[in-house]
Amino acid sequence: MSVLSLSATKSSQAISQSSSLTSTKSQDDVAGIDPDEFFAMYTIAEVKARQAQLRADAEAKQEDLRIMVGERYRDLLQASSSIMSIATSAKRVHEALEETTTAIRSQKVPSAQNHVSISGKDDSHLQTLQILSAHVKLLLDAPEHLWRLIEREKYFQAAWLFLLARVVHRALVRDDSQDDESWTQHGIDTLEQFPLIQRQWETVSHFRNQIIHRATLSLRSYDKSYDDTCATLLTLHILDSRPLMDTLMICLSQRSRTLNSLLAKGPGVPELPSNGMVANGGPPEAQKPIKLSAKTTALAVNSASRITLEAISQTLYTARAVFGTSDSTRGLAASVLDSIQSEHSFTPSANLPPELLLNTQTVLNSLPSSTYVSLLPANIRSYRPFVDLSSASSSLPQDALRDKLGNWFDQSMANFRTVFDKWLGSLDAVSSVWKIRSSLRKWVIRSGLLAHEKVNLNELLDEVFRIRITEIWKVVLSRSEREFLESLSSLGSETDEDMFSPLSSLYCSPPALQPPPGTGLLASDTNFHAYKETLTQRLHGRAPRLHEALQTLDNAAASLQKDLARMFADGENSEKLVTELTAAYRPEAQALCVRVTSALKTSSEELISRPDINVVISKLVFYAHIAKELSTSPFVRIIGCSKTVATSFQEEMDTLFKRIMLCWEEHVIPKFVSHYTKSATIWKTHTGYTCMQPSPPMMECLYLLSSSIHNLGMSHHLSHMTIPRKMIAKFSAALAQSISDNDSLETLQVLHDLSFLGHIASKWKIAEMATLEHAIDRLQSLLHNSFKYDPDRNALECLLRTQTLLSALLPSVPVTDEVASRENGDKMGAVLSYGVPVVDSRFVPAVELAPPSSRFPLLLVDTR
């Protein structure tokens, strides 16, 4: 019965027992009462209720009985049949025992002579049966031991045991009446009397295909020792009758499958942690792709590459170890075949691994029960698989071996290169690619490849690495060019001038030096380097927007320089590759410089040709900053351009800078001259008096001119000192020409202004000084020496008071003069390079100030 029927039966029995107990109690209560007393004790309604209860109990009893009979009926029938069968069997056994007893008692005791003769025949027959049983026992033990050997990948031993079992089977089924050792001579028909032999052989015969198939598949494992591989190849040779050339091709074919699977698998992807697994039935969007870090990707590519190359190297090394490396050096397979056919194969002088020093006795001793081995005939115990050493199938010429291995190596390298290109495509940093190259070159040195194979492999790897590194550098150049052009195009015409002025960022607060809490020492070092870089950037006069525009080009050049330094550090092994990389990369770098130059020129010419140049002058000055920085920056040299291209690039940038500066000067000088003329006329009209020093309009123009030079951010460079020199020269010539054309200005005041301007111009020793002196002489001739103040003396005193205010218009004092002032202890002289104003002189403000209003003293001041 099933478990369900048993449980149902038990539950029904429990129900029936409980109901029977209840009904029994009720029946006992009713049975002890007389009906008349019952009707006297209870009402009609209670009697009817008790009647209904008794009727329900009776129906429940009937249902329980019906269920029990239905479930137990078949069990009862089966039990009765079993009892009758047992009785019949017991009766037959009893009768057989009685017949045996009667037969034994009726026999006579044999004589001693007959016993001796019969014993001799029985001993001979017993020995034959023991030999037969040893044969059959070997067949019976063979399947289990074959399975064990196959699972342990001992295919050579399994093949030997199978061949031995085949020999035993043939010895059992041999039916030759003329053979003295035939079983029929002993009155035994093995096939008829022992059908187990044929059935057992049918079981054993299937192991041949199993051994061949499993041995063939095991050749795919490249990390097996050459001893195991040799044993596997010899299994195919002696069991499947394959020539050694065919076994080599099978091995190479299986290794090609392994190589293809490794190439198809690619770099390994780490598994998700247990808490990150998505449960069954989860939403598809929960399974997000894993994004590996650059370091993890590089390690995965390096590992996959080394595993693939290891498979190729081990295949070639194993094939040469098994089949030999030259005509004078015999391979392991030939030595094993010699030992198989040798009369003394199991000798220490054979110099073979224990797994390959096989004989039949060793195989028989490895069986689970080897006590019957001594009963086997000597020809079986000394069995050896036949190998024809003189046949071409048992040898492999070295020329053919070299051709096959060479072709397989070339094909494997071609397949590896195709996939290796894709693997390196996942790396975006030259440092990661170069680390993989260094790792693989170290592996090649330690590999078991031949010298010419190592050379070919290194050349192939260098070719792949050269292509990938060149692609990475091209991407870096393309990205830097795109970001540089975007920074140029992102500048609007309404851009604030302070964004490009170094002075606007020079006095800004530096970045915070304190690292965030809990970031560690590395973050603190990084923060300090950023702090230092920001201060250096400001000291060199680079505005944030200018640094942002040039940083893309500088970063590309720095990255290239760092990569080249890492490559040269590897020594002579990398010189050829670095030379090829530089030659392949240089055209792209030179093309980048050409495109940068063209973009700057085009953008600058568009702004210069605009009629509303006043609106875009700050943007044009920004382009001048970029051109000047690129003309002196080592960017073009670091990025890898040739000397000719680098010189041409810097000259074009310098020419562009001068072109923009000329446009800026032509824009600024007329504006300041016109401003002076208008302001001087208005000042004369409203004041009506002449001050014996430069007028406020002149001081205002000079201050604006100095501020403009300061805003250029180039006044701190000694190489840019020609800018204020040119500005003073052009302003002096233009102002002198404007004054000579305008007779409405007050002559004496203009004389003081020109004298002060001439005093500044004399510090530069410019050629335009003659024009300015001619204008001063003309003004002095018009006044007929009617003024009593010396303009030159007043101009010198004013210069002493305003030298700090107009510092951008004055040339720097030689360093020797500053050192002399410091050594003499003149602190003021070290600060005021052109002299210290006289202290006891009358105070004269550098700039004309408006007098205070008379209403200010009348304002009420809260003194609470």
Side-chain angles (χ1 to χ4, degrees):
M1 296 179 65
S2 63
V3 177
L4 294 176
S5 63
L6 288 175
S7 60
T9 304
K10 292 180 180 180
S11 61
S12 63
Q13 290 175 357
I15 295 172
S16 63
Q17 289 176 0
S18 61
S19 60
S20 63
L21 290 175
T22 305
S23 61
T24 302
K25 292 181 181 179
S26 61
Q27 289 175 2
D28 293 339
D29 296 339
V30 176
I33 301 177
D34 186 68
D36 294 335
E37 295 179 0
F38 190 78
F39 279 99
M41 293 173 59
Y42 300 101
T43 62
I44 299 299
E46 292 175 348
V47 171
K48 289 183 177 180
R50 185 59 61 88
Q51 181 186 6
Q53 180 181 359
L54 293 175
R55 186 170 295 170
D57 291 341
E59 292 178 355
K61 288 285 187 179
Q62 290 179 358
E63 183 66 24
D64 292 341
L65 181 61
R66 189 180 301 110
I67 293 174
M68 184 184 68
V69 171
E71 291 181 351
R72 296 288 185 172
Y73 181 71
R74 292 185 179 180
D75 294 340
L76 293 174
L77 291 178
Q78 186 176 2
S80 61
S81 301
S82 300
I83 291 172
M84 294 174 62
S85 177
I86 292 172
T88 304
S89 299
K91 184 178 180 181
R92 279 201 308 269
V93 170
H94 182 69
E95 291 175 355
L97 290 175
E98 289 180 351
E99 290 177 0
T100 302
T101 303
T102 304
I104 292 174
R105 290 175 180 177
S106 63
Q107 290 183 356
K108 297 180 180 181
V109 180
S111 62
Q113 182 178 1
N114 292 333
H115 177 72
V116 174
S117 61
I118 293 174
S119 175
K121 294 180 179 179
D122 289 342
D123 290 343
S124 176
H125 188 67
L126 179 60
Q127 184 179 4
T128 302
L129 292 178
Q130 288 176 344
I131 296 174
L132 177 64
S133 65
H135 285 70
V136 177
K137 177 63 174 174
L138 192 146
L139 284 180
L140 292 176
D141 291 345
E144 179 183 356
H145 198 56
L146 285 174
W147 274 121
R148 187 180 296 111
L149 292 174
I150 291 175
E151 292 299 326
R152 293 166 55 190
E153 297 185 355
K154 302 293 184 181
Y155 302 112
F156 191 39
Q157 291 89 327
W160 197 299
L161 179 58
F162 175 82
L163 295 175
L164 181 61
R166 186 171 64 180
V167 171
V168 170
H169 173 259
R170 289 177 180 175
L172 288 173
V173 300
R174 183 174 52 201
D175 188 11
D176 190 358
S177 59
Q178 298 179 358
D179 190 358
D180 294 337
E181 297 181 358
S182 177
W183 302 108
T184 57
Q185 296 294 332
H186 299 279
I188 301 174
D189 189 354
T190 55
L191 294 179
E192 183 178 354
Q193 295 178 358
F194 301 96
L196 175 65
I197 295 174
Q198 187 60 33
R199 290 199 301 269
Q200 189 65 17
W201 170 246
E202 291 175 358
T203 303
V204 175
S205 62
H206 293 296
F207 280 94
R208 178 179 180 274
N209 295 331
Q210 285 285 340
I211 296 172
I212 294 174
H213 178 68
R214 296 286 290 272
T216 303
L217 293 181
S218 70
L219 292 174
R220 298 184 182 182
S221 179
Y222 66 90
D223 54 353
K224 295 178 62 176
S225 64
Y226 64 86
D227 298 340
D228 294 337
T229 305
C230 179
T232 304
L233 295 176
L234 291 178
T235 300
L236 300 178
H237 178 63
I238 65 175
L239 187 59
D240 200 23
S241 300
R242 295 271 187 162
L244 291 183
M245 176 62 75
D246 292 349
T247 60
L248 172 64
M249 297 307 299
I250 292 174
C251 179
L252 296 180
S253 175
Q254 295 301 320
R255 293 296 173 88
S256 296
R257 291 174 180 268
T258 302
L259 185 62
N260 292 335
S261 64
L262 291 175
L263 295 176
K265 180 181 178 182
V269 179
E271 297 181 356
L272 284 173
S274 57
N275 56 0
M277 295 295 292
V278 181
N280 292 334
E285 57 272 10
Q287 301 180 357
K288 298 181 180 179
I290 302 175
K291 186 177 181 180
L292 302 179
S293 62
K295 183 177 181 181
T296 305
T297 304
L299 291 176
V301 172
N302 186 26
S303 176
S305 304
R306 294 189 64 168
I307 290 174
T308 305
L309 294 178
E310 186 71 26
I312 298 174
S313 174
Q314 285 296 325
T315 300
L316 298 175
Y317 175 75
T318 301
R320 294 188 177 104
V322 172
F323 299 104
T325 56
S326 63
D327 296 331
S328 59
T329 305
R330 301 194 66 189
L332 184 60
S335 300
V336 174
L337 293 178
D338 289 344
S339 67
I340 291 176
Q341 295 304 309
S342 176
E343 293 293 336
H344 306 283
S345 60
F346 202 72
T347 57
S349 60
N351 196 19
L352 293 175
E355 294 81 4
L356 298 178
L357 280 174
L358 279 183
N359 56 19
T360 301
Q361 189 64 36
T362 306
V363 175
L364 291 175
N365 291 335
S366 64
L367 293 175
S369 57
S370 58
T371 56
Y372 61 89
V373 172
S374 59
L375 300 175
L376 291 172
N379 60 346
I380 291 180
R381 284 186 280 115
S382 62
Y383 166 76
R384 294 191 304 269
F386 174 74
V387 177
D388 187 4
L389 298 178
S390 61
S391 175
S393 61
S394 299
S395 62
L396 183 60
Q398 290 298 314
D399 294 339
L401 176 64
R402 282 192 293 269
D403 292 341
K404 296 297 182 182
L405 294 182
N407 294 335
W408 186 85
F409 176 75
D410 295 339
Q411 182 63 34
S412 300
M413 286 293 99
N415 296 336
F416 172 73
R417 173 177 179 172
T418 303
V419 180
F420 191 53
D421 285 335
K422 299 179 182 179
W423 292 355
L424 289 181
S426 60
L427 302 178
D428 299 329
V430 176
S431 58
S432 301
V433 176
W434 198 257
K435 287 180 180 178
I436 295 177
R437 177 185 180 273
S438 301
S439 176
L440 293 182
R441 288 188 71 89
K442 292 178 181 178
W443 176 88
V444 170
I445 295 175
R446 299 190 302 267
S447 65
L449 299 175
L450 300 180
H452 70 278
E453 293 173 345
K454 292 181 179 180
V455 172
N456 294 337
L457 178 57
N458 283 329
E459 291 179 353
L460 182 144
L461 292 176
D462 284 348
E463 179 67 18
V464 177
F465 286 123
R466 182 186 64 79
I467 294 174
R468 182 53 191 161
I469 292 175
T470 304
E471 291 176 353
I472 293 176
W473 282 348
K474 289 180 179 179
V475 170
V476 171
L477 293 181
S478 177
R479 182 172 61 249
S480 62
E481 178 188 358
R482 183 180 66 256
E483 293 176 356
F484 178 75
L485 296 180
E486 288 176 357
S487 65
L488 294 182
S489 61
S490 63
L491 299 176
S493 58
E494 66 282 355
T495 308
D496 188 6
E497 185 177 356
D498 292 338
M499 296 179 62
F500 312 123
S501 175
L503 295 179
S504 62
S505 61
L506 184 61
Y507 302 108
C508 295
S509 59
L513 186 59
Q514 185 66 26
T519 54
L521 186 61
L522 182 61
S524 178
D525 293 341
T526 305
N527 201 313
F528 177 77
H529 287 304
Y531 179 83
K532 179 180 178 182
E533 183 181 357
T534 303
L535 294 182
T536 305
Q537 162 194 336
R538 293 181 181 181
L539 290 176
H540 284 81
R542 274 195 176 188
R545 196 61 180 270
L546 175 63
H547 181 73
E548 180 183 351
L550 295 176
Q551 189 177 16
T552 57
L553 300 178
D554 293 340
N555 290 343
S559 175
L560 173 64
Q561 187 73 8
K562 186 177 180 180
D563 294 337
L564 290 175
R566 184 182 294 106
M567 294 176 186
F568 281 115
D570 282 351
E572 299 178 356
N573 295 331
S574 306
E575 291 183 357
K576 180 180 178 182
L577 179 59
V578 173
T579 303
E580 295 176 353
L581 282 171
T582 305
Y585 159 81
R586 179 169 293 169
E588 295 294 331
Q590 295 179 164
L592 170 64
C593 295
V594 172
R595 289 191 291 268
V596 168
T597 304
S598 176
L600 271 178
K601 283 184 176 181
T602 303
S603 301
S604 301
E605 292 299 332
E606 289 179 357
L607 296 180
I608 292 174
S609 61
R610 291 182 59 170
D612 55 344
I613 193 173
N614 296 329
V615 181
V616 296
I617 190 64
S618 59
K619 189 174 180 180
L620 190 61
V621 171
F622 179 72
Y623 289 165
H625 276 283
I626 295 178
K628 190 60 180 177
E629 289 287 343
L630 292 178
S631 65
T632 58
S633 173
F635 156 76
V636 67
R637 177 181 54 82
I638 295 176
I639 208 169
C641 296
S642 62
K643 186 176 181 180
T644 304
V645 174
T647 304
S648 175
F649 175 80
Q650 292 178 342
E651 290 177 353
E652 290 182 0
M653 288 293 102
D654 187 66
T655 303
L656 179 61
F657 168 74
K658 293 178 180 179
R659 171 84 169 91
I660 297 176
M661 284 293 98
L662 179 62
C663 178
W664 177 78
E665 293 167 0
E666 293 176 354
H667 167 73
V668 171
I669 296 300
K671 183 175 68 173
F672 290 160
V673 172
S674 175
H675 178 74
Y676 171 78
T677 304
K678 294 179 182 179
S679 299
T681 304
I682 296 174
W683 184 80
K684 175 186 176 182
T685 304
H686 288 275
T687 59
Y689 71 94
T690 302
C691 59
M692 299 300 124
Q693 60 180 358
S695 63
M698 173 56 70
M699 294 302 300
E700 183 180 3
C701 288
L702 293 177
Y703 174 73
L704 292 176
L705 186 61
S706 176
S707 299
S708 299
I709 297 175
H710 272 303
N711 288 332
L712 284 177
M714 302 178 184
S715 58
H716 60 285
H717 290 292
L718 296 178
S719 59
H720 297 162
M721 294 305 293
T722 57
I723 295 177
R725 179 190 182 94
K726 291 181 180 179
M727 295 291 290
I728 290 295
K730 291 186 177 182
F731 180 74
S732 301
L735 184 61
Q737 183 65 34
S738 176
I739 291 175
S740 62
D741 296 339
N742 191 352
D743 297 334
S744 61
L745 299 178
E746 206 270 328
T747 305
L748 182 58
Q749 186 62 60
V750 172
L751 178 61
H752 285 287
D753 292 345
L754 291 182
S755 298
F756 181 69
L757 181 60
H759 201 74
I760 294 176
S762 64
K763 302 297 181 181
W764 293 100
K765 299 179 181 180
I766 55 179
E768 288 77 359
M769 187 64 189
T771 305
L772 195 59
E773 291 178 351
H774 178 71
I776 294 174
D777 293 340
R778 187 179 64 83
L779 292 176
Q780 289 178 349
S781 64
L782 293 176
L783 294 174
H784 304 289
N785 297 327
S786 60
F787 56 93
K788 58 181 179 179
Y789 296 102
D790 186 5
D792 292 336
R793 182 172 177 274
N794 292 341
L796 177 59
E797 292 179 358
C798 184
L799 179 63
L800 297 179
R801 295 193 302 270
T802 59
Q803 58 180 311
T804 304
L805 187 66
L806 305 177
S807 59
L809 301 179
L810 298 173
S812 59
V813 177
V815 179
T816 55
D817 296 343
E818 294 184 3
V819 173
S821 300
R822 293 174 184 174
E823 291 177 352
N824 296 332
D826 187 6
K827 298 181 180 180
M828 295 297 294
V831 178
L832 302 175
S833 304
Y834 288 91
V836 181
V838 181
V839 178
D840 57 353
S841 63
R842 181 178 58 87
F843 172 74
V844 179
V847 180
E848 188 71 19
L849 302 176
S853 174
S854 60
R855 295 183 300 145
F856 286 167
L858 300 179
L859 295 177
L860 297 178
V861 179
D862 189 0
T863 59
R864 290 178 297 176

